[in-house]
């Protein structure tokens, strides 16, 4: 089964645009649970531009489905993760000037520091996931340092599809499929996410080694028009059709 993790960061983006208490990301998370989300993902950025510390505390307290806590590899974030002990911690690279998480982690360049960084999180019982591109050197390094999961970055694949660059998109898809196969062969659980839409999710969901997709911005955007529950249910339908080999 392919799980769907719903990322609720951009509910907080809208809330923070007005400094009001609404829309409340926790309410969105509970609605997503009801609509069949298998997990909730939230990224506490260092600049707190969307999700807040209080959101994480409330999510950790109230959710019935697993919380996937996305964070940069900093001491501050590690302390917060150790306080809440979420089901999963997904380590992402973070640059203040970026609009969103633009690339994957460079584990190879930072291997011993990342190995030390994730050890206490593992000991606290969180499944550690590393957000990376499909470069085999990064996948090998993730396995070496003891991550449980790699999440493969689908952002380039989605951008190439939007730009109509189909040959490059197909090459990127092949790289993601090869990466997923390699990661699974090394005993890693394989997730994917970033930029996925109803149009792009099918070929990704069809990669058999994938266990989970994390999808946020498009679902929250779509919920303006259809509501969050219908958007999530339609995404699940696209995923399931692709898994059954009938396209999305
Ligand atoms: N996975 C990771 C690791 C991410 O950083 C993000 C974006 O926060 C997502 C998935 C979801 O991406 P999107 O919001 O584009 O669906």
């Amino acid at each position: 089964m392919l799980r769907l993790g719903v990322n609720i960061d951009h509910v907080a983006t809208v809330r923070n645009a007005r400094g009001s208490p609404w829309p409340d990301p926790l309410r969105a998370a509970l609605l997503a649970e009801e609509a069949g989300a298998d997990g909730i993902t939230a990224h506490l950025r260092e600049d707190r531009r969307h999700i807040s510390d209080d959101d994480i505390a409330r999510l950790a307290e109230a959710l019935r489905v697993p919380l996937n806590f996305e964070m940069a590899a900093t001491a501050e974030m590690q302390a917060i993760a150790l306080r809440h002990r979420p089901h999963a911690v997904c380590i992402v690279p973070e640059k203040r000037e970026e609009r969103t998480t633009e690339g994957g982690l460079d584990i190879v360049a930072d291997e011993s520091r990342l190995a030390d960084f994730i050890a206490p999180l593992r000991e606290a019982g969180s499944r550690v996931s590393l957000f990376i591109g499909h470069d085999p050197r990064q996948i090998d390094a993730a396995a070496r340092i003891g991550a449980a999961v790699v999440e493969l970055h689908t952002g380039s694949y989605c951008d190439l599809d939007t730009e109509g660059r189909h040959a490059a998109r197909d090459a990127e898809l092949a790289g993601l499929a090869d990466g997923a196969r390699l990661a699974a062969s090394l005993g890693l659980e394989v997730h994917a996410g970033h930029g996925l839409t109803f149009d792009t999710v099918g070929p990704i969901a069809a990669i058999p080694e994938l266990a989970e997709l994390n999808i946020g911005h498009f679902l929250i955007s779509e919920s303006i028009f259809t509501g969050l529950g219908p958007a999530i249910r339609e995404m699940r339908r696209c995923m399931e059709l692709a898994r059954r080999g009938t396209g999305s």
Side-chain angles (χ1 to χ4, degrees):
M1 191 203 134
L2 180 60
R3 298 190 301 268
L4 172 61
V6 173
N7 180 316
I8 44 128
D9 292 350
H10 296 300
V11 177
T13 303
V14 176
R15 175 194 60 192
N16 295 1
R18 292 295 291 272
S20 64
W22 50 80
D24 181 5
L26 175 60
R27 183 174 171 197
L30 297 175
L31 225 116
E33 266 187 1
E34 251 177 65
D38 299 296
I40 298 296
T41 294
H43 183 178
L44 184 65
R45 294 188 73 102
E46 288 180 87
D47 62 9
R48 310 303 200 266
R49 71 174 72 153
H50 39 58
I51 293 292
S52 68
D53 298 64
D54 182 55
D55 293 331
I56 295 294
R58 291 185 307 133
L59 288 164
E61 178 73 27
L63 287 181
R64 274 172 288 127
V65 295
L67 173 63
N68 177 32
F69 177 48
E70 276 185 24
M71 60 177 229
T74 66
E76 183 200 15
M77 291 299 153
Q78 189 190 52
I80 294 169
L82 291 173
R83 190 153 68 242
H84 295 298
R85 296 170 179 243
H87 167 82
V89 172
C90 180
I91 314 285
V92 301
E94 209 176 285
K95 297 190 217 89
R96 271 174 196 265
E97 64 278 12
E98 70 191 355
R99 264 190 299 183
T100 181
T101 313
E102 279 165 5
L105 282 171
D106 189 348
I107 309 172
V108 176
D110 207 11
E111 189 163 334
S112 63
R113 187 185 79 88
L114 280 172
D116 291 345
F117 185 83
I118 69 173
L121 298 167
R122 293 170 54 196
E123 280 155 27
S126 292
R127 283 173 72 70
V128 175
S129 169
L130 301 175
F131 189 47
I132 56 174
H134 54 70
D135 180 344
R137 290 168 304 173
Q138 300 295 344
I139 295 168
D140 284 335
R144 271 199 306 275
I145 69 171
V149 180
V150 284
E151 180 164 330
L152 300 179
H153 198 313
T154 53
S156 299
Y157 165 76
C158 294
D159 289 345
L160 291 165
D161 186 72
T162 306
E163 292 157 18
R165 296 169 58 195
H166 293 154
R169 175 202 63 189
D170 292 348
E172 182 63 17
L173 181 61
L176 289 164
D178 290 347
R181 205 171 311 120
L182 171 63
S185 76
L186 296 171
L188 291 158
E189 186 171 300
V190 196
H191 300 177
H194 210 284
L196 293 168
T197 65
F198 295 149
D199 289 337
T200 50
V201 77
I204 299 293
I207 298 173
E209 290 81 7
L210 290 182
E212 179 174 307
L213 300 182
N214 284 300
I215 307 180
H217 184 259
F218 178 80
L219 285 175
I220 303 305
S221 308
E222 199 55 21
S223 75
I224 294 170
F225 305 108
T226 66
L228 189 54
I232 290 171
R233 284 191 286 275
E234 176 60 14
M235 187 60 83
R236 290 212 72 109
R237 194 184 69 84
C238 294
M239 288 162 59
E240 278 154 26
L241 285 176
R243 270 287 153 115
R244 280 193 250 129
T246 48
S248 70

